[in-house]
Amino acid sequence: MGRIHALPVSVVNRIAAGEVVERPASVVKELLENALDAGPTRIDVALDQGGIGLVRVFDDGCGIDPEDLPLAVSPHATSKLRVAEDLERIETLGFRGEALASVGEVARLVIRSRQAGAEAGAEIEVDNGDRGGVVPCGVAAGTTVEVHQLFAKVPARRAFLRAPATEWSHSAEAFVRTALAHPRVAMTLEHNGRRVHDLPADADWRTRIGALFGTALADRLIEVEGRDGEVRVRGFVGRPDDDMASGRLQHLFVAGRPFRDRSILHAVQEAYRGLLLTGRQPIVFLAFSLPPDAIDVNVHPAKMEVRFRDPSRIYRLVLSTLRTQFMATDLSSRLAPPQAWERGAPAVSPAARTGGFIPFPSSTGGVGVAIPPPAPAPAPWCDGEASIVADGGEMAVQMHDRYLVVESADGIEVIDQHALHERVLYERLREAVATGSLEVQRLLIPETVELSSAEIELVEQHAEALARAGMRVEPFGGGTVIVASKPALAGDAAAAALVREVLGRLAAAATSSEMLVDEILHGLACKAAIKAGDPLSQAEVDALVRDRRRVRDSHHCPHGRPTSLTLSRQELDRQFRRT
Ligand SMILES: Nc1ncnc2c1ncn2[C@@H]1O[C@H](COP(=O)(O)OP(=O)(O)OP(=O)(O)O)[C@@H](O)[C@H]1O
Ligand SMILES: [Mg+2]
């Protein structure tokens, strides 16, 4: 006798529910998608205990015909597609006919709905798989779906739920992601009876971002827009000095659908290369628009990912769109006392904060960082420590042997001499290697450097990349290498120090040869650049300040630290109570 048998429907449904409903946040997401597919002008969401106790979503959309209510909660029943070909051109957020059936398997689900123009509404309840009948009820036009006590009767799943505060943060994030994609729909969110978000309908995406994360953040975002044929991307990205420790503020959307995509985020990281410190993450809100047949949304059980027909095209579009915009944008860092932001930013409710959303990121020397009181600068003519030079009419003064202070068009700029020189050297080295015009200085007396066996192995492994960067390094036996040449741009920097710096980087470097050479150039620039503490002659200060006009990305050093900070005249006037 055979051992295979078809599973009862209840078991099939329970298994399907496992894929769709992982935690309260999945319920929030599915109910919001249904509400949005109904064409509403407003959606109200209320949660208790992070959504474990209750998720309630009201929308004033088209409503459900009472006859359809039993089907709405049945598996594989949908109004959103009819034939297989429809899957090729999905324009709704739902399409599987799975969500409500799945939720009804693992919670008590109550749906009340009335179509606009209908005299009465109707209600249906499904209690952990037990479906009740359809009963009339009085209700506002639209649909209210309530999900009570998720997983209360599924102990195995319930055990995997985290504390209500954690579930709340996931649920709130699901709300935020969806709300970001639909600024034209007014949306509210309540948690344990307290209003957390009240988002008016607004066609402008920046306004919705501002309503969720604060206008101070939204106002500083850089708008980007690009297209390649019928593929378009538009959105907002953060300034490098509004970087974050995590990718929490990285949001991608296509056709009103939030999605995750590592390749696109990699393109974003590439665009920010040299503008952010290692490990820091940019803020990104990007929406893609492309023909429905160029994208497959039916690739992930919880609809969190999509597949593009031509992912490399999307990658290139993102990279070039951001890079082009960065070239046209002044990315210099600004000093802004915290009060300015506090005044500009709308209060984000404490509940939203506990939801894990950072109302405004802290930054390298920017937002949220108090300006230290200016150190009493020594009068240049008194102790001779500071040098004053003319920079095309603008004055440059070296202070503390590490900063150059310059008058700029709209304020005062403080330049980090090492960071700027490092960028200047790096850009020159890069350009020279790219154009095959790198000037190499043969050392009259080759320098010997003692290295560890692991470092010697790196020298042997990467001899070619080192040579391309002007460093001829040869094993000499007995734990020693000879440095026969270095790039002329490295100036007086000791060959041994250059080699050690570069090897340190290669040990942790990426694999492609272009990246290796780049890493070597970073190392050379870092070691050869003037240091904090090096006194500069007037001519050197002068040359450095001028050089920054000649290299790209001079606002950041190659590691992503800002090379200068500007204190605007407007801010100075404000601080001195002149305005
Ligand atoms: N808020 C709502 N307003 C109007 N109709 C709704 C609403 N929620 C659900 N429905 C109807 O119930 C049906 C079933 O919803 P369900 O979420 O289970 O499946 P779906 O949205 O079609 O697909 P998916 O499983 O991908 O979400 C929908 O196709 C829709 O016709
Ligand atoms: Mg749905």
Side-chain angles (χ1 to χ4, degrees):
M1 186 169 141
R3 291 187 302 143
I4 303 178
H5 52 265
L7 288 170
V9 176
S10 60
V11 180
V12 172
N13 291 351
R14 191 60 67 92
I15 292 170
E19 291 198 331
V20 175
V21 190
E22 187 197 343
R23 61 191 337 154
S26 336
V27 175
V28 173
K29 173 179 176 292
E30 293 295 342
L31 298 190
L32 279 175
E33 288 187 358
N34 280 349
L36 285 159
D37 280 345
T41 65
R42 71 170 299 113
I43 297 178
D44 299 310
V45 180
L47 308 177
D48 281 346
Q49 296 167 267
I52 302 173
L54 171 73
V55 177
R56 184 176 59 230
V57 176
F58 162 78
D59 69 77
D60 65 357
C62 64
I64 307 175
D65 188 315
E67 270 183 36
D68 277 345
L69 278 176
L71 274 176
V73 296
S74 304
H76 314 303
T78 181
S79 58
K80 299 173 191 175
L81 52 87
R82 285 189 175 276
V83 290
E85 291 76 59
D86 291 344
L87 276 171
E88 313 279 311
R89 41 174 185 272
I90 292 170
E91 294 189 23
T92 46
L93 297 170
F95 53 86
R96 305 159 307 183
E98 279 288 327
L100 291 180
S102 297
V103 173
E105 269 311 310
V106 291
R108 187 163 72 84
L109 167 73
V110 182
I111 306 177
R112 293 185 197 93
S113 189
R114 179 163 73 83
Q115 294 182 296
E119 273 181 19
E123 174 181 327
I124 192 167
E125 184 175 321
V126 186
D127 189 354
N128 289 277
D130 283 344
R131 191 170 83 196
V134 176
V135 290
C137 70
V139 65
T143 304
T144 300
V145 181
E146 288 178 2
V147 177
H148 298 265
Q149 303 300 336
L150 183 68
F151 297 146
K153 296 193 179 158
V154 195
R157 305 296 304 277
R158 176 109 195 172
F160 280 94
L161 288 183
R162 308 287 292 276
T166 311
E167 295 302 336
W168 155 240
S169 103
H170 288 285
S171 297
E173 185 155 346
F175 174 90
V176 167
R177 281 190 186 273
T178 311
L180 274 170
H182 298 274
R184 287 167 201 264
V185 179
M187 293 177 69
T188 62
L189 175 65
E190 263 181 37
H191 186 220
N192 294 338
R194 209 169 49 190
R195 180 64 59 94
V196 178
H197 285 296
D198 188 350
L199 311 171
D202 199 308
D204 182 39
W205 201 15
R206 199 193 282 266
T207 310
R208 172 67 42 114
I209 294 172
L212 283 164
F213 303 112
T215 48
L217 177 144
D219 289 350
R220 279 172 60 82
L221 293 173
I222 302 165
E223 188 160 7
V224 292
E225 186 157 13
R227 77 182 299 160
D228 173 9
E230 71 279 83
V231 181
R232 292 174 54 184
V233 59
R234 73 168 287 262
F236 297 94
V237 298
R239 302 176 60 83
D241 51 353
D242 291 336
D243 61 347
M244 301 189 64
S246 77
R248 198 185 293 273
L249 287 190
Q250 295 179 339
H251 293 274
L252 306 176
F253 305 94
V254 60
R257 186 189 296 283
F259 71 101
R260 301 184 302 218
D261 192 304
R262 290 176 59 166
S263 160
I264 292 176
L265 291 182
H266 189 270
V268 169
Q269 287 286 354
E270 269 308 291
Y272 276 90
R273 210 160 132 75
L275 302 179
L276 293 181
L277 284 169
T278 314
R280 303 295 296 177
Q281 296 289 334
I283 299 173
V284 187
F285 301 94
L286 292 179
F288 296 84
S289 144
L290 60 176
D293 63 353
I295 174 179
D296 189 353
V297 296
N298 186 20
V299 293
H300 187 274
K303 298 183 282 188
M304 306 278 220
E305 289 169 13
V306 300
R307 191 178 294 147
F308 293 101
R309 203 173 50 197
D310 188 352
S312 57
R313 186 175 176 196
I314 308 281
Y315 186 100
R316 286 193 305 271
L317 177 64
V318 169
L319 183 56
S320 68
T321 301
L322 267 60
R323 262 281 149 199
T324 309
Q325 189 56 50
F326 290 165
M327 303 277 245
T329 309
D330 176 9
L331 296 179
S332 309
S333 304
R334 288 181 174 262
L335 282 170
Q339 313 87 285
W341 294 108
E342 276 161 21
R343 265 207 313 276
V348 173
S349 72
R353 286 177 208 268
T354 54
F357 296 104
I358 297 171
F360 206 89
S362 70
S363 65
T364 357
V367 179
V369 176
I371 305 182
W381 58 88
C382 290
D383 57 17
E385 261 192 63
S387 53
I388 301 183
V389 297
D391 173 40
E394 287 171 314
M395 303 296 281
V397 185
Q398 189 189 29
M399 298 214 171
H400 299 287
D401 286 349
R402 63 177 62 202
Y403 297 120
L404 313 180
V405 180
V406 194
E407 179 185 337
S408 67
D410 67 342
I412 294 170
E413 253 184 300
V414 182
I415 297 169
D416 178 325
Q417 64 184 37
H418 170 71
L420 176 57
H421 195 216
E422 195 178 348
R423 167 60 77 181
V424 168
L425 280 182
Y426 168 72
E427 289 300 329
R428 290 198 167 145
L429 285 163
R430 202 176 57 84
E431 172 92 19
V433 170
T435 56
S437 59
L438 183 71
E439 207 182 308
V440 175
Q441 182 191 342
R442 291 187 67 81
L443 301 185
L444 285 178
I445 307 165
E447 247 183 78
T448 54
V449 188
E450 271 189 40
L451 297 175
S452 70
S453 53
E455 286 173 320
I456 302 241
E457 206 176 310
L458 281 173
V459 167
E460 286 171 354
Q461 200 182 338
H462 300 306
E464 195 192 324
L466 286 163
R468 280 185 64 195
M471 298 290 295
R472 205 159 277 289
V473 190
E474 288 148 16
F476 190 56
T480 307
V481 294
I482 291 185
V483 188
S485 74
K486 63 180 184 180
L489 278 166
D492 294 338
L498 292 178
V499 168
R500 288 217 170 82
E501 174 72 26
V502 162
L503 293 181
R505 282 159 189 271
L506 285 181
T511 44
S512 90
S513 67
E514 280 315 311
M515 302 275 270
L516 284 174
V517 174
D518 205 53
E519 204 55 52
I520 294 170
L521 300 184
H522 275 182
L524 292 176
C526 179
K527 257 299 156 262
I530 51 173
K531 304 278 170 299
D534 288 350
L536 301 183
S537 69
Q538 276 194 7
E540 286 168 329
V541 172
D542 193 18
L544 187 52
V545 172
R546 279 183 200 185
D547 277 349
R548 76 189 178 133
R549 308 270 170 240
R550 300 189 182 132
V551 300
R552 64 173 219 182
D553 291 342
S554 65
H555 36 73
H556 285 78
C557 85
H559 308 104
R561 279 190 215 100
T563 58
S564 71
L565 298 172
T566 299
L567 184 55
S568 71
R569 210 191 65 183
Q570 202 184 12
E571 187 55 37
L572 280 170
D573 288 348
R574 208 179 63 75
Q575 291 287 318
F576 283 113
R577 311 277 189 269
R578 285 182 168 276
T579 54

